[in-house]
Amino acid sequence: MYNLGHLYEAAVAHYLATGKRSLLDIAIKSANLVYNDFIGQQLPYYPGHQVIEMGLVKLYGVTGEKKYLELAQYMLDIRHGGDEYNQANKPVVEQDKIVGHAVRATYMYSGMADLAAINNNNAYTNVLTKIWDDLITTKYYITGGIGSGGNNEGFGEPYYLPNMSAYCETCASIGNVYWNYRMFLLKGESKYMDVLERSLYNGLLSGVSLSGDHFFYPNVLESRGQHERSAWFGCACCPSNVCRFLPSIPGYIYAHDKSAIYLNLYIQNQSDIDFNGSKTQIIQTTDYPWSGKINVTVNPTEIKDFSVALRIPGWASGEAVPSDLYHFLPDLNAPFTITVNGVPAKYVLKKGYAVIENTWKSGDKIELNLLMPVRKIGSNPLVAADRDKVALQRGPLVYCLEWPDNKDGHVLNLVFDPKSEPEASFKPQLLNGVEVITGQATSLKQADNGTQIAGNETFTAIPYYAWANRGAGEMEVWLATKATAARPLSKPTIASKSKVSGSLDGNLLTSVNDLDLPSSSNDHDVLYFHWWPKKDTTEWIKYDFDVKTQVSECSVYWFDDGPWGGCRIPESWRILYKSGNKWIPVKAAGNYTVNKDVLNTVKFKTVTTKTLRLEVKLPKEFSAGIFEWSVK
Ligand SMILES: [Zn+2]
């Protein structure tokens, strides 16, 4: 039914774009069959992955067939007695928290919002409002991404918003746009368009490369260099979703009710809007989001009384997001101005819109000026991952620091003074032309006597959507404001200076000597290497040193993602060194321990060698993995 839902949406889009019924007739035939099977026989099954509900409403939109609405509602109302994973744990009208798989959730709420609007279904509207509040108050990333966990590709506990392991699937951002657009249509409030815009310009757009042919599935907010876009995926929902979504953007710019035309997105365009029985042309001239100056020409076919409602984005009126999850530092308004034909406009602020009532004639000009200072954003202290950190935003764009623009390719070691004032400037040659933000930070490094300041430097931040177009490396959205929140450059060790290779290359093998220790054996915020899906074999990794080195101790921190994952602590391990062409086991002074959540250290009789090998016997039923292998 997931596939059928997409088929119906495609058929309607094809019909509306071309006027051809070829695909639409197939969709109708299919929907009639599903109707006869499910309504006719009252089949008590609900879709495992929602989307058919939205598809059926669209089919109703072009055919006027009410039975498609009846079928969509049936699919929603039989959901219960199942799992939280696909929002079937409770009847939909009893749900009040956002849970489970993020794409399934947003598709379902989009279908519910459609039906709520058409059927005036208050029960649906009420639960959608509660679920939306839960999302925006506790489970929403500053990039507009949603879904924090890879395990369920969805929502975790409230305020659990890790950055490096953020899931934020591209499809979930697209689903969030669908849902928030429908919430706006239902309630006419700008906060839904604010959320839509944040996803659109940040966590959604980052899903596709500037070249248009590489894609992110998860959209993380921090990287140590392990993330790059792919040309394709085995499960290729995101690339195809981006392809169908981007051409639909014009449809989100305007809306109207009986008395007003709403300008929801500021994008240069010219549009003819069917409004109260005649066409009204609207022309926007702007280079938004780089500047907040928007020139609008209103061309009704005849002189007419109506309202033009300009969305005043939350970011332009001092509100980072429509909840207390994130806030601007300091909390100031960025004032905006509006003129009509050069004269300050009379308007009322209503539901987040500046509503200008006027008798409009062809050629009338509105100028909206939204100031775009660089804004610093703090998060609710309940978000542990963002504590003592700030994010940077300008206009609707969230920024990140990426390796190519910063000293020696490092950004995670920087500490920013939140009282300083970063500046913005336009760089036409960079990343197809972007406004960058520059500021001052101190960089940290580890020394024998603890953490030291390495120096002061100027950092450069780029729009988040444009990252990962110049190769893999460090990136962060949240910038430390205290030394304890930064990651000082490590002091090199025997292990970190050696060349690592193994019986299996890849799978982040280089993480074993990156000097980054986890907080537990099941810590997914620190890089690890694993042999999965191998099990019950003997594997090895080795360090090659530049010169012959004396070594007498090794420590290993094992990765173990039980009870759900495929890796456990190994059955056994040992250290060998190379002498001539032979591998010789070291003379260990104690046991080779295999404990979780600690470094397992073995001391041995000093050997002098250029190559050291760690041999690991994998468990019978599981694989194994390593966070760190250190050498003294
Ligand atoms: Zn996807």
Side-chain angles (χ1 to χ4, degrees), residues 158-212:
Y159 303 105
Y160 176 68
L161 295 164
N163 290 312
M164 197 175 78
S165 61
Y167 204 66
C168 297
E169 185 180 337
T170 302
C171 288
S173 283
I174 292 174
N176 205 31
V177 166
Y178 294 157
W179 180 26
N180 277 280
Y181 178 61
R182 286 161 171 82
M183 291 302 285
F184 157 75
L185 292 178
L186 199 54
K187 303 188 122 196
E189 293 174 47
S190 72
K191 64 182 183 181
Y192 299 111
M193 293 306 300
D194 287 353
V195 171
L196 183 156
E197 183 180 62
R198 180 175 292 280
S199 292
L200 174 62
Y201 279 98
N202 302 291
L204 190 165
L205 200 50
S206 61
V208 56
S209 64
L210 294 179
S211 57

Side-chain angles (χ1 to χ4, degrees), residues 395-418:
L397 297 175
V398 174
Y399 278 70
C400 69
L401 277 65
E402 199 192 9
W403 66 276
D405 311 301
N406 292 285
K407 191 172 174 238
D408 299 329
H410 293 295
V411 300
L412 300 169
N413 63 326
L414 297 179
V415 180
F416 170 71
D417 175 1

Side-chain angles (χ1 to χ4, degrees), residues 169 171 217 237-238:
E169 185 180 337
C171 288
Y217 203 113
C237 51
C238 298

